[in-house]
Amino acid sequence: MAICVYCASSVRIDKKYVDLASEVGTELARRGHTLVTGGGRISCMGAVAAAARAGGSRTVGVIPEALMTTEIGDPESDELIVTPDMRSRKAEMDRRSDAFLVLPGGIGTLEELFEIWTSRVLGMHDRPLVILDPFGLYDPLRELITKMYDQGFTRPHVFDAVGWTASVPEAFDLLEKAARTITPSQEEVLESEA
């Protein structure tokens, strides 16, 4: 499975987040998956890719040309795709991914999460989406979504469209279990888009 990992590229974060990204990359490789990332080699983005490669996984990085110096494009990627802008970056990451794993991150990570989550709630795809949050960064987000649901602003299945966990092994278990439940007709659609 090609798993897209959304995570931070900020260098000002606590080391525990970078360590989490490394643990994710190691587990992804142990399970034999391919990694799709935002193509940077610093912070969490770089850590997850380096750990995945160290474990023998193929890594695909997708980075906009404008961020090649800011996020420092990852030349070690098995495939590094440079896009003209952020929109085409997200579209390419989406196109190449069978599942999505969201780690703690900033507003860019939230943007990616919301786009994939919204399109799943709207039935535009049925690929697994899991949020891995062992440190509770996204607790206020979860509360906000609950409040939005209570006020009628979200669809009832908003919570079914995403898995939440604090454990790296459980995150991959959820992704793999959800991927196995894709119907043959959905699988054919995904293959035709690849």
Side-chain angles (χ1 to χ4, degrees), residues 113-121 129 131 145 158 161-162 164:
L113 164 62
F114 278 122
E115 185 169 328
I116 293 301
W117 194 355
T118 300
S119 59
R120 182 148 192 226
V121 169
L129 168 63
I131 297 172
I145 299 299
V158 68
V162 62
W164 296 77

Side-chain angles (χ1 to χ4, degrees), residues 108-154:
T109 304
L110 284 176
E111 179 192 20
E112 292 161 333
L113 164 62
F114 278 122
E115 185 169 328
I116 293 301
W117 194 355
T118 300
S119 59
R120 182 148 192 226
V121 169
L122 295 175
M124 296 176 172
H125 75 86
D126 196 29
R127 289 168 289 170
L129 168 63
V130 171
I131 297 172
L132 172 59
D133 187 25
F135 309 112
L137 180 72
Y138 292 131
D139 287 351
L141 172 62
R142 206 168 183 178
E143 292 170 17
L144 175 62
I145 299 299
T146 300
K147 185 178 268 190
M148 292 170 74
Y149 173 75
D150 292 343
Q151 297 295 317
F153 287 106
T154 62

Side-chain angles (χ1 to χ4, degrees), residues 1-77:
M1 195 164 47
I3 299 177
C4 180
V5 175
Y6 295 129
C7 59
S9 61
S10 173
V11 295
R12 300 181 331 127
I13 58 173
D14 191 297
K15 184 179 180 301
K16 68 185 180 186
Y17 295 111
V18 178
D19 292 343
L20 174 66
S22 291
E23 185 182 348
V24 165
T26 299
E27 184 69 9
L28 180 140
R30 188 184 74 74
R31 294 183 184 228
H33 300 301
T34 295
L35 174 68
V36 178
T37 70
R41 71 173 182 195
I42 59 173
S43 189
C44 296
M45 205 181 295
V48 70
R53 279 192 297 272
S57 279
R58 182 171 191 275
T59 62
V60 178
V62 185
I63 190 168
E65 187 172 358
L67 295 183
M68 279 294 286
T69 54
T70 308
E71 292 185 354
I72 310 174
D74 184 3
E76 302 292 320
S77 292

Side-chain angles (χ1 to χ4, degrees), residues 63-66 82-86 88-89:
I63 190 168
E65 187 172 358
V82 180
T83 64
D85 54 39
M86 289 292 282
S88 53
R89 174 202 217 180

